[in-house]
Amino acid sequence: MVDNSIRVAIADDHPLIRMAIEAALDTVPAIVHVGSAANSTELIALLDAHPCDVVVTDFAMPQGAHGDGLQLLQLLRSRYPELQIAVFTGLDQTAVVQALYDAGVNHILSKGDDVSHVAAAIMAAHVGRRYLSPSVAPLLPARSSQRSTVPLSPREREVLRLFVGGMSINAIAEHLDRRKQTISTQKVNGMAKLGVERDADLFKYAIELGLDAPAAG
């Protein structure tokens, strides 16, 4: 496990959804899946037993001793103040999304969107950026077009510049004499800080993002 891995817990009462999320996260080297839960009872037990950076939880998840919805989110915030929370919901209604956002949840995912958005939301949560999946974003007031002010680390900028310059993750790792997982982590963290979700957008906005110049050294 790399030093800056993101420890993630998953909570959803539907086994197939949990499995889909787990499978999607297994492809991201930066993310370490610490465990899954089917209700709030299991989730609290999991978080008490294992340090965790981000939890991805279903909004409507009955049968648990600690409730679900806003009640569970309030408990998570008070009990684990450093924990970042991403909410996965099938209730794509303005009132529900607005209530979540008003409660301080700014990483919201729709179950109707591709599961790949879960990893992107986790990366955004880890670096303090808001993330709304495509079906959720229109349900809230327009977001500012201003890009993140979270600065890239020198190594993140170096990796992104080399990647934009045409080098693969393997080639960058060899060039910089670092582990492939480390390079992958620095790439995804850097993209999250810049608010860029796809490699295509990273290339498209390279000049705007200040990544067009070759890395020094």
Side-chain angles (χ1 to χ4, degrees), residues 114-156:
D114 192 276
V115 72
S116 64
H117 289 282
V118 177
I122 290 169
M123 297 297 179
H126 191 59
V127 297
R129 282 187 56 85
R130 176 163 100 166
Y131 192 94
L132 307 174
S133 69
S135 296
V136 172
L139 303 180
L140 287 173
R143 292 176 287 173
S144 169
S145 60
Q146 184 177 2
R147 294 194 178 272
S148 170
T149 58
V150 180
L152 295 174
S153 72
R155 289 192 171 187
E156 287 166 351

Side-chain angles (χ1 to χ4, degrees), residues 147-184:
R147 294 194 178 272
S148 170
T149 58
V150 180
L152 295 174
S153 72
R155 289 192 171 187
E156 287 166 351
R157 181 172 294 278
E158 181 180 38
V159 167
L160 290 179
R161 279 179 169 169
L162 291 172
F163 185 79
V164 168
M167 295 180 69
S168 67
I169 295 298
N170 287 337
I172 296 172
E174 183 177 353
H175 177 70
L176 298 178
D177 193 23
R178 299 178 200 159
R179 296 177 58 193
K180 177 183 175 182
Q181 284 189 324
T182 300
I183 297 300
S184 179

Side-chain angles (χ1 to χ4, degrees), residues 1-205:
M1 182 175 67
V2 294
D3 293 340
N4 51 352
S5 293
I6 306 170
R7 298 163 297 184
V8 177
I10 301 166
D12 197 292
D13 57 335
H14 296 92
L16 290 179
I17 293 178
R18 290 199 306 272
M19 291 173 62
I21 296 174
E22 291 166 4
L25 299 189
D26 283 345
T27 66
V28 184
I31 293 175
V32 175
H33 174 221
V34 301
S36 296
N39 54 52
S40 60
T41 305
E42 294 180 8
L43 177 59
I44 295 301
L46 175 62
L47 294 176
D48 282 346
H50 300 281
C52 190
D53 301 306
V54 181
V55 62
V56 179
T57 180
D58 192 2
F59 182 69
M61 191 171 53
Q63 308 303 323
H66 304 285
D68 64 351
L70 296 177
Q71 176 186 350
L72 175 59
L73 296 176
Q74 183 178 11
L75 173 63
L76 292 174
R77 286 196 174 280
S78 61
R79 190 160 178 158
Y80 315 101
E82 300 301 317
L83 180 68
Q84 296 295 319
I85 303 170
V87 174
F88 205 47
T89 179
L91 304 172
D92 297 343
Q93 301 171 4
T94 301
V96 173
V97 173
Q98 188 66 58
L100 283 169
Y101 198 70
D102 290 344
V105 178
N106 55 7
H107 312 103
I108 308 172
L109 301 148
S110 168
K111 291 186 178 181
D113 290 325
D114 192 276
V115 72
S116 64
H117 289 282
V118 177
I122 290 169
M123 297 297 179
H126 191 59
V127 297
R129 282 187 56 85
R130 176 163 100 166
Y131 192 94
L132 307 174
S133 69
S135 296
V136 172
L139 303 180
L140 287 173
R143 292 176 287 173
S144 169
S145 60
Q146 184 177 2
R147 294 194 178 272
S148 170
T149 58
V150 180
L152 295 174
S153 72
R155 289 192 171 187
E156 287 166 351
R157 181 172 294 278
E158 181 180 38
V159 167
L160 290 179
R161 279 179 169 169
L162 291 172
F163 185 79
V164 168
M167 295 180 69
S168 67
I169 295 298
N170 287 337
I172 296 172
E174 183 177 353
H175 177 70
L176 298 178
D177 193 23
R178 299 178 200 159
R179 296 177 58 193
K180 177 183 175 182
Q181 284 189 324
T182 300
I183 297 300
S184 179
T185 298
Q186 290 167 346
K187 174 179 174 287
V188 293
N189 284 349
M191 289 178 65
K193 287 181 180 181
L194 294 171
V196 177
E197 300 163 15
R198 302 182 305 164
D199 288 350
D201 290 335
L202 187 64
F203 287 102
K204 183 177 180 180
Y205 299 113

